[in-house]
Amino acid sequence: MKEQNYLMVDLGLPSGIKWADRNIGAETPQDYGLYFDWGNVDGHAIDENGNVTDGYSFDRDTYATTSGGQYTRSILDAKHDAATVNMGEEWCMPTSAEIRELIQETDHYYIGEDSSIVSGPFNYENKIPKKEGYQKLHSICFVKRGEEFNYNDRSNFIEFPFAGICRSSLLDVNYLYGYVWSNSVLDSATEYARNLILISDGRLYGDNCFRFLGHSVRGVTFKQ
């Protein structure tokens, strides 16, 4: 994988944690980056037609043969954490609590394909009006609470593209959804891991998904 220059962004979160400015494998914050099944540290790229370029299949049977598929602990150790392995020891994948904090403690702006602000700001407490159908949005930005949003000044926000999800060897629902892994499984079912789900109709929340499906990964750090 090409070495990336990941920047940490201080969003003024109560925990003091900082989020990376882009997904693992993304050359810019707007790019999708690589896709990972939970607990595996090898990311997989997608071509312009939405095909996994190395032929890897995000399916239950393939996953069962991998290190991540055989991992039985509820929280990832450093060896199985895609952020730690690909970004450096100061980075790790977020906890489900850190995902909740990101949603609840920031303002949210939606970005169209032309890099224009579609609507906002919104925050977790505001009711986001449901749009008529799905718009073809590109991303959502999480902005430091109460601060001015300038899309050309990335000092106080991070951007998540609606990068979709990989099923088998194909990318699905990009422009409509984004999926980002946490570092932990669902309490009651280890077949599922917790994640962040972004939806282009204005919903965003922490949820869970089958571990074998391909998600984006974004690192966090407490480094000063």
Side-chain angles (χ1 to χ4, degrees), residues 164-180:
I165 190 170
C166 283
R167 310 176 194 273
S168 297
S169 295
L170 294 172
L171 179 62
D172 192 18
V173 297
N174 55 316
Y175 290 109
L176 299 179
Y177 293 83
Y179 297 82
V180 184

Side-chain angles (χ1 to χ4, degrees), residues 20-201:
D21 67 328
R22 67 196 68 194
N23 293 338
I24 292 179
E27 293 192 11
T28 73
Q30 297 92 340
D31 294 337
Y32 289 174
L34 300 174
Y35 294 81
F36 298 80
D37 33 20
W38 190 83
N40 287 321
V41 299
D42 293 327
H44 304 274
I46 302 298
D47 67 22
E48 59 185 11
N49 296 314
N51 299 303
V52 178
T53 57
D54 61 5
Y56 184 79
S57 183
F58 290 93
D59 62 68
R60 185 179 275 105
D61 290 343
T62 300
Y63 181 67
T65 67
T66 68
S67 174
Q70 296 168 12
Y71 189 78
T72 58
R73 296 173 61 183
S74 59
I75 297 176
L76 293 172
D77 60 20
K79 186 171 66 173
H80 290 84
D81 187 310
T84 304
V85 172
N86 288 281
M87 300 174 66
E89 62 182 10
E90 70 271 24
W91 295 96
C92 60
M93 292 163 62
T95 66
S96 56
E98 288 160 356
I99 285 174
R100 258 192 326 273
E101 179 188 56
L102 176 69
I103 296 170
Q104 295 174 359
E105 300 293 339
T106 57
D107 293 330
H108 311 140
Y109 291 80
Y110 290 82
I111 304 300
E113 289 186 287
D114 60 355
S115 299
S116 63
I117 301 172
V118 174
S119 55
F122 299 117
N123 61 43
Y124 184 73
E125 291 78 14
N126 295 145
K127 182 179 179 181
I128 301 176
K130 185 174 176 62
K131 304 177 178 69
E132 291 299 323
Y134 288 111
Q135 297 187 34
K136 201 170 185 181
L137 300 177
H138 181 266
S139 58
I140 177 175
C141 295
F142 293 84
V143 184
K144 189 173 183 178
R145 176 65 57 82
E147 291 201 355
E148 181 180 355
F149 175 49
N150 178 349
Y151 191 62
N152 296 313
D153 176 5
R154 294 184 171 267
S155 62
N156 68 345
F157 76 92
I158 59 173
E159 181 174 9
F160 283 94
F162 293 103
I165 190 170
C166 283
R167 310 176 194 273
S168 297
S169 295
L170 294 172
L171 179 62
D172 192 18
V173 297
N174 55 316
Y175 290 109
L176 299 179
Y177 293 83
Y179 297 82
V180 184
W181 283 129
S182 81
N183 73 343
S184 56
V185 299
L186 182 64
D187 293 340
S188 60
T190 56
E191 188 178 16
Y192 300 86
R194 296 185 179 276
N195 62 358
L196 168 64
I197 298 182
L198 317 162
I199 309 177
S200 63
D201 67 358

